[in-house]
Amino acid sequence: MVVPSLAVFLGLIAIPIVVVGLVSLSEWTGFPADGIRWLGIENYRTIAGDDIFWRALRNTLLFTGLTTLFLNVIGFGVALLISTRVRGTGLLRAVIFLPALLPSVLVGLMWQRVLDAFGFVNQILQWLGVADQPIFFLGDEQWALWVIIGVTVWQFAGYDMILYYAGLQSVDRSMLEAAALDGARTPATVFRVIIPSIWHIVGVVALLNIIGGLKIFDVVFVMTRGGPNRSSEVLATYMFEQGFRFSIMGVASAIAVVIVVLAVIASVARFRLARRLV
Amino acid sequence: MFELRATWAKAGLSILAVVVAVTVVLPVAWVGALSLKTGREVYNQKFLPDEWVPGNYITAWQEFGLGGYFVNSVFVTVVSVVLTILVSLLAAHAFTWLRFPGSDVVFTLLLLGIMIPPAALVLPLLIEARHLGFYNDLFGLSLVYVAFGLPISILIFRGFFAGIPGELVESARLDGAREWKILFRVIVPVARPAVVTVTILLFLANWNDFILALVLMRDADTYTLPVGISQFIGQYATPHELIAAASIIGSVPVFILYLVLERKFQQGVTAGALKG
């Protein structure tokens, strides 16, 4: 009964992992007819000396770090807000989770329109009198990566909210009541009682965001293709370009191996933390 | 969770909640309004169209050939979700009740798949697809989705099965039932909630997938919705209002399912994230 699972897993995950490792040590266009030449670690030397690779790595890490930070702060804040159950929070709970379910490609497409020269954001900025010229958010090196970060936070804040909301339900009621009896103010309750008692969940959620951040591709590919001038290039888009536009499979595979290594490190950390949860 | 006594605090938080909700909705609403404008009105400063053009949706559907992408998306999603659930139910049953020598090793091996991001394997998958002949093939793409969906499904099913009393299985065995019958007649009816959770998780992952379909599908008649719609972005001649309409059309299926199954979606995603 395990055979079908094992067959699909070996054929479409395990073997590809081996193949990507082998190809990263070779020179190849990826087409069956073309010859393969073994290079050893040459491709890794190539990317180590490649400024664009370092830029893509730096952007990936910056994106991952900042989205993780913003998503956790906003997700936790909104979860707290919703758990007060004041009026309006029912609406908020329903709508904030929705973007997380949509295809990232469509989210990217929608925001591309919202942020273009005639888009909603520029309309508001001009109406407020902040900017008299439209800002080309996606065509400006200073803005592009920040826009990608902003859109991702917009999309996935509800995801973190749901996880924190589930976590908040496990906070010991009697501790909250005791804090209230002691006359603790709300901020004190949040920082002294609630955050310490869900600290392990913070770790798991942050690592989930990190894992998601390291493989960022869809939104960047749709909105900027890593541009302008590589300012929003990330590892996955750079890998895609090397492999599929230029057919340099060896270098592309070396970049893929870097992505796998980063993802495995983050996942192992997450498993360790999650095991302590149970 | 909190007892807020001060009315001003409640009012302040209510306003905050509405402001955040509006921030989430407004960009989508603006795109929705854009999708109903005429080509000339796209560049004006008004939120709502002067002249409403619902016909944009029909134009977008026909001009972009969304019908074909839609059918492809439904096909790969349904095939991959059904196959993943069948295959992972079998595996989880064996891991729970037919423990064999080395079953823990195999289980751990399968779980390692959770760590691997699909984006990192698109190159070797393309190479394999070209060599083995499943390149540009919708069923081949479905099988790739099965591979990436298996680890999390097996993990969730196995976790749920562990809570089912063993006597159920034992007594069915004494009645002489075969293992697959025990699984589908005895276990699956009990494990319904887990099946719902896994279905939602897999549906979202496979319906929304972009990079695997982008790499493994070559011809327009095999594109899924995200890939098909994304092909029009590069073309600057594509009218904005039609791109807006196409993005709204692509979001509608998820939106409707979410309206119907809101709590189930939230539970499913939570389980996938915290248990996985």
Side-chain angles (χ1 to χ4, degrees):
Chain A
M1 288 172 107
V2 178
V3 173
S5 295
L6 205 55
V8 174
F9 178 81
L10 289 178
L12 296 171
I13 294 189
I15 291 176
I17 291 175
V18 176
V19 170
V20 81
L22 288 176
V23 174
S24 77
L25 304 172
S26 75
E27 187 182 293
W28 193 25
T29 60
F31 287 95
D34 290 341
I36 189 165
R37 198 163 67 88
W38 298 102
L39 293 177
I41 59 162
E42 193 54 38
N43 289 322
Y44 291 93
R45 282 218 192 97
T46 307
I47 59 173
D50 176 3
D51 288 344
I52 304 170
F53 168 77
W54 288 107
R55 188 159 214 197
L57 179 63
R58 191 201 68 125
N59 283 347
T60 305
L61 296 178
L62 188 67
F63 170 87
T64 304
L66 288 176
T67 50
T68 300
L69 177 70
F70 292 139
L71 282 171
N72 277 276
V73 171
I74 297 173
F76 177 70
V78 172
L80 266 186
L81 177 58
I82 288 175
S83 61
T84 62
R85 300 185 186 248
V86 296
R87 243 177 231 220
T89 53
L91 169 77
L92 177 58
R93 183 181 170 164
V95 298
I96 199 171
F97 188 51
L98 190 61
L101 304 175
L102 295 179
S104 297
V105 170
L106 300 184
V107 168
L109 267 180
M110 289 187 193
W111 276 95
Q112 205 175 27
R113 294 276 72 78
V114 171
L115 289 164
D116 80 7
F118 306 98
F120 189 47
V121 172
N122 272 310
Q123 286 177 10
I124 290 182
L125 291 178
Q126 284 175 0
W127 182 70
L128 290 173
V130 182
D132 38 332
Q133 293 289 319
I135 300 173
F136 293 90
F137 289 99
L138 297 171
D140 188 326
E141 287 181 38
Q142 300 205 307
W143 280 104
L145 186 63
W146 294 100
V147 165
I148 305 282
I149 291 171
V151 170
T152 305
V153 171
W154 176 86
Q155 189 183 1
F156 290 109
Y159 180 78
D160 280 32
M161 179 280 287
I162 286 289
L163 301 181
Y164 277 120
Y165 188 78
L168 285 175
Q169 308 311 308
S170 70
V171 175
D172 191 352
R173 300 282 129 161
S174 59
M175 280 169 74
L176 292 174
E177 280 157 21
L181 280 179
D182 287 348
R185 291 178 160 274
T186 308
T189 314
V190 170
F191 286 103
R192 301 256 171 86
V193 180
I194 296 177
I195 292 184
S197 61
I198 60 157
W199 192 242
H200 51 289
I201 296 182
V202 177
V204 172
V205 176
L207 278 163
L208 276 171
N209 295 155
I210 290 173
I211 293 165
L214 291 172
K215 58 183 184 193
I216 173 74
F217 175 82
D218 301 6
V219 174
V220 180
F221 187 81
V222 169
M223 293 185 81
T224 66
R225 298 256 160 148
N229 196 20
R230 309 279 184 188
S231 58
S232 61
E233 197 77 75
V234 289
L235 288 175
T237 52
Y238 192 44
M239 174 205 77
F240 189 90
E241 183 198 68
Q242 295 294 306
F244 300 115
R245 271 193 61 206
F246 302 140
S247 288
I248 313 172
M249 284 293 176
V251 171
S253 297
I255 302 170
V257 170
V258 173
I259 300 175
V260 171
V261 169
L262 290 173
V264 168
I265 293 172
S267 301
V268 170
R270 185 192 152 219
F271 273 120
R272 293 234 166 130
L273 263 185
R275 195 174 300 154
R276 260 191 266 154
L277 259 178
V278 190
Chain B
M1 173 139 275
F2 304 105
E3 288 301 319
L4 290 168
R5 281 185 216 99
T7 325
W8 63 266
K10 280 189 192 168
L13 289 175
S14 284
I15 292 169
L16 184 62
V18 172
V19 168
V20 177
V22 167
T23 314
V24 175
V25 171
L26 217 48
V28 181
W30 183 83
V31 172
L34 179 67
S35 73
L36 294 164
K37 289 182 173 179
T38 61
R40 246 179 313 120
E41 269 192 79
V42 161
Y43 301 104
N44 77 12
Q45 301 277 329
K46 284 184 194 151
F47 193 97
L48 291 176
D50 283 333
E51 192 185 327
W52 295 69
V53 194
N56 284 340
Y57 282 82
I58 296 165
T59 315
W61 181 271
Q62 288 172 342
E63 215 161 284
F64 298 161
L66 295 186
Y69 306 147
F70 206 91
V71 171
N72 292 341
S73 269
V74 170
F75 176 84
V76 293
T77 306
V78 171
V79 170
S80 63
V81 171
V82 170
L83 276 181
T84 314
I85 287 181
L86 283 179
V87 169
S88 52
L89 278 172
L90 288 171
H93 184 88
F95 286 130
T96 319
W97 286 295
L98 298 170
R99 311 186 39 98
F100 51 93
S103 69
D104 283 340
V105 178
V106 179
F107 182 64
T108 312
L109 181 73
L110 287 175
L111 288 197
L112 292 181
I114 292 181
M115 299 184 183
I116 309 299
L121 293 191
V122 288
L123 301 153
L125 282 170
L126 175 68
I127 293 167
E128 215 180 319
R130 278 183 186 149
H131 278 85
L132 300 179
F134 66 87
Y135 177 52
N136 202 29
D137 182 285
L138 288 166
F139 187 70
L141 179 64
S142 311
L143 281 186
V144 174
Y145 290 158
V146 173
F148 282 102
L150 273 179
I152 182 78
S153 312
I154 295 177
L155 187 66
I156 291 178
F157 284 141
R158 160 109 202 240
F160 197 91
F161 288 4
I164 297 175
E167 295 90 63
L168 269 178
V169 179
E170 293 304 325
S171 64
R173 275 187 192 149
L174 287 177
D175 291 343
R178 287 165 183 259
E179 286 302 326
W180 65 269
K181 267 199 170 163
I182 298 176
L183 171 62
F184 290 104
R185 295 266 168 81
V186 181
I187 305 296
V188 171
V190 184
R192 260 240 182 90
V195 176
V196 173
T197 298
V198 171
T199 306
I200 287 170
L201 278 180
L202 295 174
F203 162 76
L204 286 175
N206 301 349
W207 181 267
N208 291 350
D209 165 68
F210 179 58
I211 192 165
L212 288 168
L214 178 70
V215 170
L216 293 174
M217 299 291 117
R218 183 192 54 214
D219 299 331
D221 62 354
T222 56
Y223 287 161
T224 56
L225 262 183
V227 177
I229 295 179
S230 78
Q231 297 303 309
F232 301 100
I233 337 157
Q235 308 171 4
Y236 285 98
T238 312
H240 290 183
E241 70 278 13
L242 295 187
I243 294 181
S247 344
I248 301 280
I249 292 174
S251 311
V252 161
V254 178
F255 187 69
I256 291 176
L257 279 175
Y258 178 62
L259 282 184
V260 179
L261 296 167
E262 183 186 333
R263 287 293 140 100
K264 290 243 158 60
F265 264 72
Q266 299 187 350
Q267 288 159 3
V269 171
T270 312
L274 295 182
K275 287 186 192 149

